[in-house]
Amino acid sequence: MTEDVILKVITRFLVPFIKLYSLYVIAFGESGPGGGFQGGVIYAAAVILEKIVYEKKLQKPDIFASLGVMIYAGTGFLCLILGGYFLEYNVLHNNPATGNATGIFVIEVGVAITVSATMITIFNELTAD
Amino acid sequence: MIIEFILLFIVFIFALLAIVSGDLTASIFFLSGFSFLMAVIWKWLGAVDVSFTEAAVGAGVSTVFLLAVLLKTEKNEKFFKGFNLRAFILTLIPLVLLLYSTRYMPEFMNPENITNHHVIQRYIEKTIPETHVPNMVTSILASYRGYDTLGETTVIFLAGICVVFLLRKL
């Protein structure tokens, strides 16, 4: 789409940092602002930026959108199997609080996967010919 | 306090300009500025997570989506027919009702409000011993209100599927 050297160099420099920051937002969502949703959107923004500037052809990310929901619901069913209620993370670990923290982290990752995959899918569909 | 009023006034101007401007590209950028200023206001009110989401989704990704849509249509608004009395009255009624109902809103930042008494105290006291998660917003969203967030995630997934269905004309 573009032959602008400045755009290409700046994008190549920025995209890894944006992606790393999105991972940080997902992982750090328990202790500070952020979480799966915001981190997923930032990751999708980095991928979309790459796509706009480099005209990259993306693989279909549709399957990851369902994978994230499956991780979330699967955590709920895992809690059921381990003897708790649906989405009762206490049973995931001997220490209930640690189990809760683990469950929260896992479902945040699921949310992040769903959100970023959905955003990229929507952008793909909007710009497809 | 004065800064809040100035910010809200600029937000109001941006929203008005986004509606009135006939150039759709300009409207999109007014909306983006609107979202960015709203993020500043959320931060000012102490809602850091909401501010983060507004900045990432409202000012960032949705602007790109709208611009991508604009590539497929024309750049100027077509149907802008002056003043319409019936539409004016129809929008005036909800406006009056909403303004009337603000009289019964709880006072801002008052610790005696009913919303600050019910279940919120349990969250504040039990979040750290029960979940080891310092950010209370995350613990409420993901653990105490896990069903809601599961529904939200499913809704986002469904939205993506619907866009695919609509645009591929399956």
Side-chain angles (χ1 to χ4, degrees), chain B residues 45 106-125 136 140:
Chain B
L45 293 174
E107 198 187 335
F108 182 58
M109 287 178 99
N110 184 359
E112 301 295 317
N113 286 342
I114 190 77
T115 45
N116 294 336
H117 273 290
H118 185 47
V119 74
I120 195 79
Q121 267 175 343
R122 190 190 179 284
Y123 292 152
I124 292 170
E125 284 162 8
M136 222 187 306
I140 291 174

Side-chain angles (χ1 to χ4, degrees), chain A residues 21 29-30 32-34 37-38 41 62 65-66 72 86-87 89 97 100-101 104 107-108 111 118-119 121 123 125-126 128, chain B residues 48-49 52-53 57 61 64-65 72 129-135 138 142-143 146-147 149-150 153 156-157 160 164 168:
Chain A
Y21 179 63
E30 300 180 8
F37 192 84
Q38 292 92 331
V41 170
D62 318 21
S66 48
Y72 200 139
F86 188 68
L87 288 176
Y89 314 122
N100 238 316
I104 288 175
I107 66 137
E108 290 279 359
V111 171
T118 308
M119 295 291 166
T121 306
F123 186 77
E125 294 300 322
L126 284 177
Chain B
V48 190
D49 283 83
F52 206 155
T53 315
V57 179
V61 172
V64 177
F65 284 173
K72 296 199 162 185
E130 277 184 353
T131 64
H132 286 182
V133 169
N135 184 5
T138 303
S143 182
Y147 280 40
T149 312
L150 177 59
T153 314
I156 293 169
F157 173 53
V164 171
R168 285 190 198 159

Side-chain angles (χ1 to χ4, degrees), chain A residues 36-37 64-80 86-89 92 103-115, chain B residues 138-156:
Chain A
F37 192 84
F64 287 104
S66 48
L67 179 74
V69 181
M70 269 180 67
I71 289 176
Y72 200 139
T75 312
F77 283 114
L78 187 67
C79 297
L80 269 184
F86 188 68
L87 288 176
E88 188 192 18
Y89 314 122
L92 291 174
I104 288 175
F105 180 73
V106 172
I107 66 137
E108 290 279 359
V109 171
V111 171
I113 292 172
T114 296
V115 169
Chain B
T138 303
S139 80
I140 291 174
L141 275 182
S143 182
Y144 293 113
R145 293 275 175 270
Y147 280 40
D148 288 355
T149 312
L150 177 59
E152 267 171 43
T153 314
T154 317
V155 164
I156 293 169

Side-chain angles (χ1 to χ4, degrees), chain B residues 16-162:
Chain B
L16 207 65
L17 283 173
I19 296 169
V20 173
S21 122
D23 186 353
L24 289 176
T25 320
S27 284
I28 290 169
F29 282 106
F30 281 129
L31 274 181
S32 179
F34 172 87
S35 279
F36 179 74
L37 283 171
M38 279 311 287
V40 176
I41 292 173
W42 294 128
K43 174 66 190 67
W44 195 266
L45 293 174
V48 190
D49 283 83
V50 183
S51 162
F52 206 155
T53 315
E54 180 83 47
V57 179
V61 172
S62 70
T63 309
V64 177
F65 284 173
L66 288 172
L67 283 174
V69 172
L70 199 63
L71 287 177
K72 296 199 162 185
T73 59
E74 291 170 33
K75 286 200 169 175
N76 288 308
E77 215 171 343
K78 259 185 187 168
F79 307 103
F80 189 72
K81 298 177 193 164
F83 186 75
N84 187 334
L85 187 67
R86 272 185 295 180
F88 180 72
I89 292 170
L90 264 178
T91 45
L92 199 65
I93 293 168
L95 177 71
V96 170
L97 285 175
L98 282 173
L99 284 178
Y100 181 70
S101 68
T102 54
R103 287 180 61 218
Y104 301 101
M105 294 267 279
E107 198 187 335
F108 182 58
M109 287 178 99
N110 184 359
E112 301 295 317
N113 286 342
I114 190 77
T115 45
N116 294 336
H117 273 290
H118 185 47
V119 74
I120 195 79
Q121 267 175 343
R122 190 190 179 284
Y123 292 152
I124 292 170
E125 284 162 8
K126 294 283 178 70
T127 286
I128 292 289
E130 277 184 353
T131 64
H132 286 182
V133 169
N135 184 5
M136 222 187 306
V137 178
T138 303
S139 80
I140 291 174
L141 275 182
S143 182
Y144 293 113
R145 293 275 175 270
Y147 280 40
D148 288 355
T149 312
L150 177 59
E152 267 171 43
T153 314
T154 317
V155 164
I156 293 169
F157 173 53
L158 283 177
I161 290 179
C162 290

Side-chain angles (χ1 to χ4, degrees), chain A residues 20-102:
Chain A
L20 189 65
Y21 179 63
S22 77
L23 294 182
Y24 163 81
V25 168
I26 296 167
F28 196 65
E30 300 180 8
S31 339
F37 192 84
Q38 292 92 331
V41 170
I42 294 172
Y43 188 85
V47 175
I48 288 172
L49 178 66
E50 238 181 344
K51 188 182 153 65
I52 291 175
V53 175
Y54 283 103
E55 281 243 296
K56 272 194 175 178
K57 288 277 173 275
L58 289 163
Q59 284 83 34
K60 298 274 178 251
D62 318 21
I63 191 162
F64 287 104
S66 48
L67 179 74
V69 181
M70 269 180 67
I71 289 176
Y72 200 139
T75 312
F77 283 114
L78 187 67
C79 297
L80 269 184
I81 291 168
L82 290 175
Y85 295 110
F86 188 68
L87 288 176
E88 188 192 18
Y89 314 122
N90 295 348
V91 294
L92 291 174
H93 196 268
N94 292 331
N95 182 1
T98 315
N100 238 316
T102 317

